[in-house]
Amino acid sequence: MSQFIHPSWANFEREHVWHPYASMKNPAPVYPVTSASGVMLEFEDGRQMIDGMASWWCAIHGYNVPELNEAVETQLKAMAHVMFGGLTHKPAADLAEALLKIAPNDMKHVFFSDSGSVSVEVGIKMAIQYWQAQGKTDKQKLLTIRHGYHGDTFGTMGVCDPVSGMHHLFTGMLTEHFFADAPSAETDAAWDDSQIDSFRSQLEAHHHDIAAVILEPIVQNAGGMRFYAPEFLRQVRRLCDAYDLLLIFDEIATGFGRTGKMFACEHAAIQPDIMCVGKALTGGYMTLAATLCSSKVCDGIHADGAGVLMHGPTFMANPLACAVALASIELLLKSPWQERAVNIEQQLEKELMSCRDRAGVADVRVKGAIGVIEMKDAVDVAAVQKQLIAQGVWLRPFGKLIYTMPPYIISNHELKKVTAAMCDVVSTL
Ligand SMILES: *Cc1c(COP(=O)(O)O)cnc(C)c1O
């Protein structure tokens, strides 16, 4: 940290403000940022960093985007916020229409909330209320696969990976759900049917107690940046139909083009019953998430005649967030996003694969605009970040993973700097 001259506010902040997954007593370095534009973050000391993280995968169009700025400014002058209980507004209606237009066809209804974790909570509630309304009150559990990540709230922690997640800290507070083995994430592994065995046997044994299956389709993100075969999802869909279970897709990380399809479930050409979106929904401008569901789910929730969906966040469907989300979707659809994803994928393949044979590297994998180097051992995040920053690149590795999920607008030249910095740092580990 000594290379940074800290403004006095940052010193105060270090003593009083928590950061994500951080110690207040032994704080990891945090770098003051003053502005951001395009793919660049500007640090307080004037240094420019290429943001290879898109601010935790949200800022797909980069920063200070004229179209998005304008959407916020225009909405701001009309109204920043009103309660959604008993009131409604056009930004919410327009965004819902846009979302349902790009989402899988079966999705017909939208519940807005303020963060990804909450949208997953709402998805879980939808599934449980669906069965309650049909009198199947035993169906209160979820089935998922290992290495998943669905959020940090109590309901969602219960379906995060039991090892890399936080189960050990909160045992007793967490619902015990059912876990199947995750499918293979090896880059070149061919599909074989044994990959579904564990999932099938969990279903056979426990389907009477299961309300829904919840998965991140195609890419497991914060649980390990693992990519798996579309065939796994097709078989999951078939088994859910056979056992009459609901299927929830958590597309919070994968939605809005990140894997090269608008939603990752399109790789398998199947649809969920409930779908969660967040992160890139507003292009990284505001906090907003949504839970989408099919008519089947919606009708089911109301099957007993009395049903209301029991959730209602204070900031539900915040107009500023809805307005910027709509502008972000319009901008995405106007842009050559598929071509950009293919270009990013090809460049990542070419440039990251070159460090596959380095001593400490366990695996290198690429899917759409996601590039991952998995090391054999956990990396020292602070030390790795320091090296990357010296090369003008911002990434936030975790565990054994050094990865990039850049804004889609990143140029070849900028992406080259990111991959070169990644390969360089790997050669020093
Ligand atoms: C980030 C993420 C969440 C949680 O979203 P928050 O907005 O951080 O609450 C849930 N699921 C997946 C797949 C995510 O990547």
Side-chain angles (χ1 to χ4, degrees), residues 57 115-117 149-151 216 250 252-253 279:
W57 331 337
S115 76
S117 301
Y149 176 82
H150 298 286
E216 292 157 280
D250 178 346
I252 292 166
K279 288 204 164 86

Side-chain angles (χ1 to χ4, degrees), residues 213-355:
V213 168
I214 180 164
L215 297 174
E216 292 157 280
I218 301 295
V219 178
Q220 295 184 291
N221 299 274
M225 307 305 291
R226 302 172 84 257
F227 312 146
Y228 62 86
E231 182 58 21
F232 183 81
L233 284 184
R234 285 192 282 269
Q235 301 215 11
V236 164
R237 179 72 267 183
R238 242 175 276 147
L239 286 165
C240 286
D241 292 342
Y243 285 97
D244 194 17
L245 297 178
L246 298 176
L247 179 54
I248 305 173
F249 281 164
D250 178 346
E251 292 256 13
I252 292 166
T254 48
F256 306 102
R258 179 58 66 181
T259 66
K261 302 279 188 189
M262 185 58 82
F263 295 101
C265 62
E266 294 168 27
H267 288 282
I270 51 148
Q271 303 201 34
D273 302 293
I274 296 169
M275 184 169 105
C276 303
V277 295
K279 288 204 164 86
L281 171 59
T282 64
Y285 265 56
M286 307 271 305
T287 174
L288 184 71
T291 314
L292 282 57
C293 76
S294 65
S295 312
K296 171 184 160 175
V297 171
C298 177
D299 293 348
I301 289 169
H302 301 98
D304 61 1
V308 295
L309 182 61
M310 283 310 286
H311 210 83
T314 306
F315 284 97
M316 184 166 179
N318 171 259
L320 284 175
C322 288
V324 74
L326 177 64
S328 175
I329 291 172
E330 285 171 346
L331 187 58
L332 184 65
L333 294 177
K334 261 194 283 176
S335 75
W337 62 272
Q338 280 143 312
E339 204 182 306
R340 282 178 177 160
V342 170
N343 290 342
I344 293 173
E345 181 169 54
Q346 286 173 351
Q347 191 178 344
L348 287 172
E349 286 263 358
K350 189 167 128 236
E351 293 171 1
L352 291 182
M353 287 305 169
S354 70
C355 53

Side-chain angles (χ1 to χ4, degrees), residues 185-203:
E186 277 171 48
T187 313
D188 305 314
W191 172 259
D192 82 81
D193 277 333
S194 68
Q195 292 188 37
I196 197 81
D197 287 353
S198 162
F199 185 89
R200 187 189 298 107
S201 41
Q202 288 290 327
L203 267 193

Side-chain angles (χ1 to χ4, degrees), residues 65-80:
V65 183
E67 293 88 339
L68 304 188
N69 291 357
E70 199 200 316
V72 177
E73 284 161 10
T74 306
Q75 183 55 42
L76 184 58
K77 284 171 193 145
M79 64 185 167

